[in-house]
């Protein structure tokens, strides 16, 4: 762990995440009880671990697709302008769709993605975010299901990165700068 000007303090354990996913899946199963097949849309790249655990816990027929959106330009500040870098492979018109996001922060990404997908006329569009930082919100948006509400801390792990590092941590940790 040398060469990094920060350390990662554990915030949410792998066990806590697994327990929360179990509870959320029972609610999602109830919501989509009548579905023939649910399209689970993961927002790349941060949701890849979450979506993997989520679909394995869900007792429903699912299809998995991915969308990559970027709200950051070359600067460190969010540009507030969301670009679609990779679109879905499949159509969602008339389908049951669940959007899976890692974190809702300012809200720009989720709001844009939900608007875009809604315009494609799905039968039912729902969303889930593993983490939510409500104190950071700049545009009104809320996922139908949230794993954990967290304070305004920069977090990594369980798919979530800091400059492309730490995605492989099995837990959620908060970044503490040391210099
Ligand atoms: P929003 O458009 O500001 O809501 O941005 C949400 C996106 O910003 C998330 O999908 C993450 O990719 C990124 N993000 C927000 N907070 C964090 C964090 O604490 N750690 C790592 N990425 C974050
Ligand atoms: Mg993201």
């Amino acid at each position: 762990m040398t060469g990094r000007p920060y350390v990662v303090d554990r915030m949410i354990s792998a066990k806590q995440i697994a327990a929360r996913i179990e509870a959320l899946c029972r609610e999602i199963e109830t919501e989509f009880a009548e579905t023939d097949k649910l399209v689970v849309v993961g927002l790349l790249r941060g949701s890849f671990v979450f979506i993997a655990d989520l679909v394995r816990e869900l007792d429903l027929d699912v299809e998995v697709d991915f969308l990559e959106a970027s709200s950051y330009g070359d600067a460190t500040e969010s540009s507030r302008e969301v670009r679609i870098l990779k679109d879905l492979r499949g159509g969602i018109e008339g389908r049951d769709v669940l959007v899976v996001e890692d974190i809702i922060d300012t809200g720009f990404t989720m709001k844009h993605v939900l608007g875009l997908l809604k315009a494609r006329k799905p039968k039912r569009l729902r969303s889930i975010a593993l983490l939510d930082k409500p104190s950071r919100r700049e545009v009104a948006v809320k996922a139908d299901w949230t794993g954990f509400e967290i304070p305004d801390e920069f977090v990594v792990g369980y798919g979530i990165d800091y400059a492309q590092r730490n995605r492989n941590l099995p837990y959620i940790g908060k970044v503490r700068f040391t210099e």
Side-chain angles (χ1 to χ4, degrees):
M1 300 292 161
T2 52
R4 289 183 212 172
Y6 67 93
V7 293
V8 177
D9 297 324
R10 190 172 316 225
M11 188 182 198
I12 306 170
S13 72
K15 230 174 165 171
Q16 286 175 289
I17 297 169
R20 186 69 186 122
I21 288 176
E22 272 191 49
L24 289 165
C25 282
R26 302 297 83 83
E27 294 182 24
I28 295 166
E29 285 160 7
T30 303
E31 174 74 13
F32 288 105
E34 309 297 316
T35 200
D36 181 40
K37 186 143 54 87
L38 177 66
V39 185
V40 182
V41 171
L43 301 194
L44 292 173
R45 280 172 271 178
S47 74
F48 81 102
V49 175
F50 183 36
I51 197 174
D53 282 345
L54 196 72
V55 295
R56 284 181 294 176
E57 182 60 35
L58 264 185
D59 189 15
L60 292 173
D61 277 341
V62 300
E63 233 173 77
V64 175
D65 206 342
F66 293 97
L67 186 78
E68 186 171 10
S70 174
S71 55
Y72 299 89
D74 48 3
T76 50
E77 260 289 285
S78 170
S79 64
R80 275 96 181 121
E81 187 188 288
V82 182
R83 289 178 303 136
I84 298 302
L85 303 179
K86 181 198 171 297
D87 205 342
L88 297 177
R89 285 289 292 274
I92 56 165
E93 187 174 346
R95 310 286 307 273
D96 285 316
V97 178
L98 177 67
V99 176
V100 181
E101 173 64 309
D102 55 354
I103 310 181
I104 304 184
D105 188 46
T106 62
F108 281 96
T109 306
M110 192 58 128
K111 188 159 184 139
H112 182 86
V113 167
L114 289 176
L116 178 92
L117 297 183
K118 200 171 174 199
R120 297 179 186 178
K121 306 199 184 324
K123 181 170 154 210
R124 188 182 313 197
L125 179 64
R126 297 288 183 268
S127 57
I128 181 167
L130 177 67
L131 304 174
D132 190 351
K133 298 186 201 171
S135 66
R136 295 261 307 161
R137 202 70 93 252
E138 293 181 27
V139 288
V141 65
K142 197 173 189 325
D144 295 294
W145 296 280
T146 300
F148 304 89
E149 283 197 0
I150 60 169
D152 182 10
E153 301 276 4
F154 198 83
V155 295
V156 293
Y158 198 73
I160 300 164
D161 73 302
Y162 174 44
Q164 300 308 324
R165 300 177 93 149
N166 307 118
R167 289 192 197 272
N168 56 327
L169 288 174
Y171 54 87
I172 299 287
K174 66 179 177 193
V175 167
R176 180 161 48 87
F177 294 93
T178 51
E179 37 182 78

